[in-house]
Amino acid sequence: MDLFPPVLLAEWRDTKETLHRFAQIVGKIRLAASARRNHWWNVPFHVTGRGITTRPMGQVDGNPIFTIDFDFVDHRLVVITLDGEERSFPLPGQSVASFYDQTLAALAALGVRADIAVPRPFDLPDADRPFAEDTEHAVYDPVAANRYWRVLSQVASVLEEFAAGFSGKASSVHHFWHTFDIAHSRFSGRRVDQPEQVDPVTREAYSSEVISFGFWFGDDTFAEPAFYSYTAPEPAGLTEAPLNPASAQWVASGDSHLAVLRYDAARSEADPRAAVLAFYESAYQAGAGRAGWDIAALACPGGITDPVRRI
């Protein structure tokens, strides 16, 4: 498969909307069954050789240790406990309601109690509709789902390479079920005091100065896949900084800005992987430089912090 194959939002929008809600159901189970980490790092998915996984969870909530995996090769949801017991069911042909029911049934059969505090979508247009009542979203195209996972895997590999160059506090490369993006974040170590009226999710996510880098598949607000970066809080003069490659640009997003490299623009470059790495690096230099980060001290060339081994 070519690096960064075509992914037109219009061609798989229905599958994406269904799969996004599937992911939120499993993600909310992960939220309930895992130890909380700073910046919500306990809740995202991680890419595997066949799909995406919650990673092992349970025990902290009284459940046996278990994982939930989306298999985008055989197109099944797979639940496995630490003792090797397994339940699975096919993803095609499911509505959100039937997926919700079958997921809970699979967990129950393995002795896992699923505690979803708010069994409705988070920050989606139908956020007031319970998962158990959603028969509207019921499209699952296996070809589109497999391509989503393959692109996700390719982007994850690029982000892993980029992440290697930073030695400070940083997130893993992970796939958030909230916005359905894959991201890696770097932190300066400086705290940020959020106003009291800011919601709890945002308060925790942006409690420290951060520059984030990622990729999303497009949605109603930005209707095409794109690589992105943002600095929060946004320093003065950020959008005056140059971005690479030349097709990248600064885009207004609420009261701040995103550095954006559209997916098709990256695909048109002679070396798409190098273009994305250059984009992330230019966005980092722009944000870190204007925010006063100690860029040299935080550098980690080739993933090496030992100054002797760098020589």
Side-chain angles (χ1 to χ4, degrees):
M1 188 175 190
D2 292 339
L3 179 66
F4 305 149
V7 181
L8 298 177
L9 178 60
E11 291 184 351
W12 79 298
R13 182 187 294 272
D14 291 342
T15 293
K16 176 180 175 291
E17 294 301 320
T18 301
L19 189 54
H20 193 171
R21 286 158 178 80
F22 288 179
Q24 288 212 356
I25 291 168
V26 176
K28 288 194 172 198
I29 294 169
R30 169 74 193 182
L31 176 62
S34 60
R36 179 160 169 170
R37 295 284 306 281
N38 61 150
H39 312 297
W40 306 108
W41 290 351
N42 58 303
V43 301
F45 294 106
H46 288 235
V47 179
T48 73
R50 296 183 68 90
I52 56 177
T53 182
T54 59
R55 295 159 291 146
M57 54 186 168
Q59 205 163 42
V60 296
D61 61 346
N63 276 310
I65 294 177
F66 68 103
T67 62
I68 304 178
D69 290 7
F70 285 88
D71 182 338
F72 295 123
V73 177
D74 288 338
H75 302 286
R76 302 185 68 83
L77 189 82
V78 183
V79 185
I80 306 176
T81 58
L82 191 62
D83 61 6
E85 291 295 314
E86 177 180 325
R87 296 291 186 278
S88 69
F89 61 86
L91 295 170
Q94 305 289 344
S95 68
V96 170
S98 65
F99 176 89
Y100 179 72
D101 290 343
Q102 291 209 44
T103 300
L104 297 187
L107 290 169
L110 296 171
V112 176
R113 183 190 68 256
D115 293 325
I116 301 180
V118 183
R120 302 189 305 272
F122 179 72
D123 200 26
L124 291 177
D126 56 338
D128 293 331
R129 177 171 53 190
F131 292 126
E133 298 176 9
D134 183 2
T135 57
E136 173 190 356
H137 297 99
V139 177
Y140 184 95
D141 176 359
V143 173
N146 182 268
R147 177 163 293 203
Y148 142 78
W149 161 66
R150 288 176 179 265
V151 171
L152 202 67
S153 299
Q154 292 175 352
V155 174
S157 176
V158 175
L159 280 169
E160 290 285 1
E161 182 176 348
F162 174 70
F166 185 77
S167 65
K169 174 182 173 179
S171 76
S172 60
V173 175
H174 47 210
H175 182 26
F176 272 106
W177 47 264
H178 166 205
T179 46
F180 218 52
D181 62 334
I182 187 167
H184 157 70
S185 298
R186 297 175 172 182
F187 296 82
S188 68
R190 292 194 287 260
R191 299 285 299 176
V192 175
D193 293 325
Q194 296 287 344
E196 290 186 7
Q197 65 271 24
V198 172
D199 68 272
V201 173
T202 302
R203 291 182 67 85
E204 179 60 35
Y206 298 106
S207 60
S208 302
E209 192 174 51
V210 61
I211 305 177
S212 191
F213 313 86
F215 171 83
W216 72 79
F217 288 89
D219 55 28
D220 290 338
T221 59
F222 197 94
E224 59 181 302
F227 303 91
Y228 70 83
S229 175
Y230 61 84
T231 302
E234 183 174 310
L238 179 66
T239 58
E240 298 170 8
L243 292 171
N244 290 316
S247 55
Q249 59 187 164
W250 294 103
V251 175
S253 177
D255 296 329
S256 58
H257 296 83
L258 292 171
V260 172
L261 174 62
R262 287 167 168 78
Y263 183 72
D264 284 345
R267 292 182 63 240
S268 69
E269 295 285 337
D271 186 340
R273 186 183 184 94
V276 175
L277 288 169
F279 166 70
Y280 286 144
E281 183 62 27
S282 67
Y284 172 64
Q285 293 292 331
R290 281 156 180 75
W293 293 26
D294 191 339
I295 295 175
L298 293 170
C300 183
I304 299 172
T305 58
D306 179 1
V308 174
R309 291 300 299 269
R310 289 183 187 175
I311 297 174

